[in-house]
Amino acid sequence: RTHAMINLFIDTNIYLSFFHLTSEDLEELKKLVVIIDKGEIALFVPEQVRDEFARNRGAKIADAMRKFQEAKFNLSFPLFAKDYSQYNELRELMKRADKVHAELREKIMSDATSEALSADKIVGALFEKAKKIPITEEIYLEALMRVRLGRPPGKESSMGDAINWECLLRNVPDKEAINLVSEDKDFRSQLSDGAVNEYLESEWTTKRHSDLWFYSKLSDFFKDEFPNIKIASEIERDLLIQKLAGSKSFATTHLLTAKLVDQPEFSPTQVEQLVEIPELNGQVGMIVGDADVHNFYKMLLQKYAGKITVDAATKLAKIVADGEPAPEADDGIPNF
């Protein structure tokens, strides 16, 4: 595809995912700011996206910080360890680690409060250079009618996606394509993996007389249009999922599960891929009852059930239920 100008919409969930990226990935995203500044990309940011980002930012940061805040530097020493010179040295190192950990946590939270985190700076720069779209009364009423009539995107309980879609329909120039990046299932096709909702594609083609290009991950958009920008953490998660899908031994499955547990976040598309693996790879399916594999899928259910398709959520719930350890048999002997 060649364009004089690339029109781009990035959904709120993608901006929020920046808080789970490494510093190296955020450095890569600075290239996007430069490209927009050079006029190669027109980034559209509806007022709704800015509001959603502001409302959900705190929860996303808290989620990213949870494991770090819970970390404790504790060791249990046998009594005779006190006879060794290294005992006091190790105790001092642990005290020092606790102190530095607390200082780092305080500094991060201070920067989070003042919106000075690296992700904040990237999002702020993108919002500043974007084409901002206010929510007009016309847009609001059209979005409300869309939701009431059950037309995608969106759902009865939320108008956000519908407002964003109406903003794009009214502000992207006629006969110019749009690249839409969103993890939201309401934009995705229920028939084809990785494709946009068919109704939305037809509506865009009819009303804007141009193409609609859909991506569930920013890294996929970069791969097509700006391959010199690489989001390494997204690529790593994809590779781990691919390796789990092709796992040929229990040991490999346990090893990959441990690595997947350490990943801070998954996209809904990635979760849906993980849900399919136990059925497609019998070797993985045989050990979904093992504690580590079961706990991983249980975490996916708790965290992502509302973000994936209904079919995927149902299948995930069954995986977790099937993997639950059987209750201990009642031997009839009362416990005292």
Side-chain angles (χ1 to χ4, degrees), residues 65 80 85 95 115 124 132 138 204 224 258 288 303 316:
M65 285 289 291
F80 50 78
S85 60
K95 287 180 184 177
E115 299 184 10
K132 302 168 187 65
E138 179 190 9
W204 185 269
D224 277 359
V288 290
K303 191 171 180 180
L316 179 55

Side-chain angles (χ1 to χ4, degrees), residues 22-218:
T22 64
S23 56
E24 291 81 7
D25 287 339
L26 291 172
E27 279 296 317
E28 284 290 293
L29 282 173
K30 288 181 180 179
K31 296 177 183 177
L32 176 59
V33 178
V34 172
I35 291 169
I36 294 170
D37 206 30
K38 288 167 62 179
E40 295 180 36
I41 287 180
L43 177 66
F44 290 84
V45 177
E47 181 183 347
Q48 178 70 18
V49 167
R50 296 173 69 101
D51 287 349
E52 286 176 347
F53 179 82
R55 288 200 309 270
N56 294 289
R57 173 184 171 275
K60 185 60 74 169
I61 293 172
D63 181 51
M65 285 289 291
R66 191 162 289 116
K67 280 187 180 180
F68 177 71
Q69 288 178 316
E70 292 171 354
K72 298 292 180 186
F73 299 92
N74 290 323
L75 281 177
S76 178
F77 295 91
L79 291 175
F80 50 78
K82 296 179 181 179
D83 298 334
Y84 296 84
S85 60
Q86 291 88 349
Y87 170 78
N88 288 328
E89 182 182 357
L90 189 53
R91 288 289 299 272
E92 289 302 314
L93 286 171
M94 288 167 58
K95 287 180 184 177
R96 175 65 180 156
D98 274 328
K99 183 174 183 293
V100 174
H101 177 263
E103 290 172 352
L104 177 57
R105 186 175 65 235
E106 185 178 341
K107 173 61 176 168
I108 291 173
M109 295 313 294
S110 173
D111 284 348
T113 302
S114 59
E115 299 184 10
L117 296 173
S118 297
D120 285 316
K121 294 174 183 176
I122 295 292
V123 174
L126 291 172
F127 283 179
E128 180 186 345
K129 297 181 182 302
K131 294 182 181 294
K132 302 168 187 65
I133 307 174
I135 302 173
T136 63
E137 183 178 358
E138 179 190 9
I139 286 173
Y140 175 81
L141 291 174
E142 287 292 331
L144 180 62
M145 183 170 71
R146 176 179 289 275
V147 171
R148 289 283 186 266
L149 293 174
R151 296 171 182 165
K155 50 194 83 67
E156 186 66 29
S157 59
S158 173
M159 285 177 55
D161 290 334
I163 288 173
N164 288 332
W165 180 251
E166 292 293 340
C167 285
L168 295 174
L169 279 175
R170 281 161 176 71
N171 287 274
V172 175
D174 190 36
K175 297 182 180 178
E176 289 190 17
I178 184 72
N179 293 267
L180 192 153
V181 186
S182 176
E183 295 178 349
D184 200 313
K185 61 185 179 183
D186 293 318
F187 283 107
R188 287 189 282 141
S189 167
Q190 295 182 337
L191 300 176
S192 305
D193 286 343
V196 73
N197 180 284
E198 290 79 10
Y199 182 94
L200 296 178
E201 184 173 36
S202 175
E203 183 179 19
W204 185 269
T205 303
T206 301
K207 293 183 177 180
R208 307 315 298 152
H209 312 100
S210 60
D211 293 320
L212 170 62
W213 305 102
F214 175 75
Y215 302 92
S216 60
K217 292 180 293 184
L218 198 54

Side-chain angles (χ1 to χ4, degrees), residues 214-225 234 238:
F214 175 75
Y215 302 92
S216 60
K217 292 180 293 184
L218 198 54
S219 58
D220 288 339
F221 167 72
F222 290 147
K223 192 188 306 179
D224 277 359
E225 298 291 349
E234 283 192 4
D238 282 338

Side-chain angles (χ1 to χ4, degrees), residues 230-245:
K230 292 179 172 61
I231 307 297
S233 54
E234 283 192 4
I235 296 170
E236 180 186 2
R237 282 191 283 273
D238 282 338
L239 287 174
L240 287 173
I241 293 169
Q242 289 173 21
K243 288 180 179 178
L244 182 65

